Amino acid sequence: FGIRALFTVTITLSLVTAAAWSEKDATGDDIYPPLWNLAPENLLNFLVKDNKIIINAWNYQERLGLYKSLLNSSAKYFTAFGYQNFGNILWGLPLQHGWQFRTGRLADPSNKTSCGYENGDLLCISVRSWWSCMNYYLAVIPFLGAVEAGLFGQLQYEIEILPPEERTTDFCYSVVDCRSRIPNLMNAWKAYFESSATFSSFKLDDALCLMWRAHVASIAYALPKFHNSLKYLSDPEANFGEDWANAVDFIAATHFSTDLLTTNNFQVFLPQRMLVVGDAVPFISDFSPQQNRVLLSLSALYKANKITGGLLLSLWRKSMSTEEERKIGQKLIANMVS
């Protein structure tokens, strides 16, 4: 059973990546998230009031600014991994956020407000969006973990994250607040940012290990918390969201690199719009054959892991326990397209 299970994972992930790499070569002007040039460059570009830096994480441009400040402040650790900070492994986070914005996944799925829509506040991030709430734990928490780790040096102002209009108890809003409420998540992200500064010889696999560990922890914490938000989505979109979260665990086990160009090429398989009632994978007419095939593969991977009670993921993680094995896993994902 173990060999068959690992074979299933290998084939699925290979199909996913093959479709992604064959469909697009990310070398054009669209390699950055939407509105990247307009996002705040550093912490002092946000509103400073009453000796506090006030950040509205429910505005796309400001949440994007959290990522931009993280990338700018950590660039010095990635100079050996590509020019213009392209090798920074944090790129996966803002690129995913940009894809969510571009495809309408941050807008109010209940259609009760104009949040996130062109005829309303396009930059608004809805707290009713499952995607936006999941992303909060991959944006604000990494950012506050970096603040606590000293990535930005000694700050003369406190950091305050503004709450959403509803579900305020589902989030934390400062280093002290998050430290008291979700210490394990803060520890995970803090460990990643501290490691970048303390490694005597920077080792990419070690950095990827800590980054993916924190990434997976954020998703694992947020999944049950926002499960009821899936009710606002169509069944096909809700299923895709759960398939996506499951696939991240498998990809994370290989310490797959999330630099700028690799992430751009890899996420091309993701659907360019929200899935709606009537979308039947793999027969969605306005999706490419590759996108349809990948969505089907992600669904199969989720179902196989669920049926086995998580044994499939456990076997995959065990097979990726050494750096050499992870390199093989990465090649299984990437080399199938060559």
Side-chain angles (χ1 to χ4, degrees):
F1 172 79
I3 294 176
R4 291 181 63 187
L6 292 177
F7 180 74
T8 299
V9 175
T10 299
I11 294 299
T12 300
L13 293 180
S14 297
L15 281 171
V16 166
T17 314
W21 281 80
S22 63
E23 196 166 295
K24 176 186 176 184
D25 178 21
T27 56
D29 294 334
D30 58 349
I31 60 174
Y32 297 104
L35 306 180
W36 183 252
N37 290 335
L38 300 178
E41 295 275 346
N42 57 62
L43 298 188
L44 294 181
N45 289 146
F46 292 98
L47 174 66
V48 178
K49 183 179 179 181
D50 298 329
N51 287 321
K52 291 182 178 180
I53 296 173
I54 310 295
I55 299 172
N56 181 8
W58 301 97
N59 173 279
Y60 168 74
Q61 207 162 303
E62 293 204 26
R63 192 181 290 193
L64 195 63
L66 298 182
Y67 291 128
K68 198 169 188 178
S69 62
L70 287 175
L71 280 158
N72 287 342
S73 295
S74 61
K76 58 188 175 184
Y77 303 119
F78 290 90
T79 54
F81 301 99
Y83 68 102
Q84 295 184 7
N85 203 24
F86 282 8
N88 196 318
I89 60 175
L90 289 177
W91 274 112
L93 298 176
L95 287 170
Q96 275 282 287
H97 186 48
W99 164 76
Q100 292 163 357
F101 173 75
R102 186 171 58 249
T103 59
R105 287 178 164 84
L106 302 180
D108 182 359
S110 71
N111 291 312
K112 300 295 185 182
T113 71
S114 61
C115 179
Y117 294 98
E118 289 187 12
N119 62 348
D121 184 356
L122 181 61
L123 298 181
C124 175
I125 296 178
S126 174
V127 72
R128 296 188 180 188
S129 161
W130 179 84
W131 291 97
S132 76
C133 292
M134 294 292 294
N135 178 260
Y136 190 95
Y137 282 83
L138 289 169
V140 172
I141 309 308
F143 171 75
L144 293 177
V147 171
E148 189 176 35
L151 180 68
F152 304 106
Q154 190 68 35
L155 296 177
Q156 63 181 115
Y157 303 110
E158 291 182 40
I159 303 288
E160 180 180 333
I161 310 295
L162 295 179
E165 294 184 355
E166 54 187 279
R167 300 195 66 160
T168 57
T169 58
D170 287 331
F171 309 95
C172 56
Y173 308 104
S174 68
V175 170
V176 173
D177 184 24
C178 294
R179 166 55 57 189
S180 65
R181 293 169 59 181
I182 48 172
N184 291 338
L185 280 188
M186 288 292 285
N187 286 340
W189 284 107
K190 182 183 178 185
Y192 167 71
F193 288 106
E194 286 181 336
S195 71
S196 300
T198 57
F199 284 152
S200 57
S201 58
F202 191 88
K203 192 173 182 182
L204 190 58
D205 184 68
D206 291 337
L208 284 163
C209 174
L210 291 169
M211 188 278 295
W212 277 118
R213 184 179 300 167
H215 191 128
V216 167
S218 282
I219 291 178
Y221 179 84
L223 263 178
K225 180 178 286 290
F226 300 111
H227 181 77
N228 63 351
S229 294
L230 292 170
K231 68 185 178 184
Y232 294 119
L233 304 175
S234 68
D235 286 345
E237 179 69 17
N239 291 336
F240 165 62
E242 293 186 302
D243 295 344
W244 163 85
N246 175 73
V248 169
D249 283 332
F250 287 89
I251 296 170
T254 72
H255 296 181
F256 197 81
S257 182
T258 45
D259 59 80
L260 181 71
L261 298 182
T262 302
T263 302
N264 264 304
N265 282 317
F266 186 74
Q267 71 173 13
V268 171
F269 71 84
L270 297 175
Q272 71 271 16
R273 61 164 174 81
M274 297 272 281
L275 299 180
V276 297
V277 174
D279 282 336
V281 176
F283 307 109
I284 303 177
S285 60
D286 60 332
F287 284 11
S288 69
Q290 293 92 340
Q291 288 173 318
N292 271 289
R293 188 162 59 247
V294 165
L295 290 177
L296 183 64
S297 299
L298 291 180
S299 177
L301 185 63
Y302 172 78
K303 290 175 182 176
N305 193 45
K306 187 174 183 179
I307 289 172
T308 61
L311 180 59
L312 187 60
L313 178 59
S314 296
L315 288 170
W316 179 251
R317 283 174 170 167
K318 187 176 182 179
S319 71
M320 297 290 109
S321 59
T322 69
E323 187 172 355
E324 286 305 311
E325 289 168 338
R326 288 190 292 274
K327 288 180 179 177
I328 294 173
Q330 294 165 13
K331 288 179 181 178
L332 286 173
I333 295 175
N335 285 357
M336 283 288 186
V337 304
S338 61

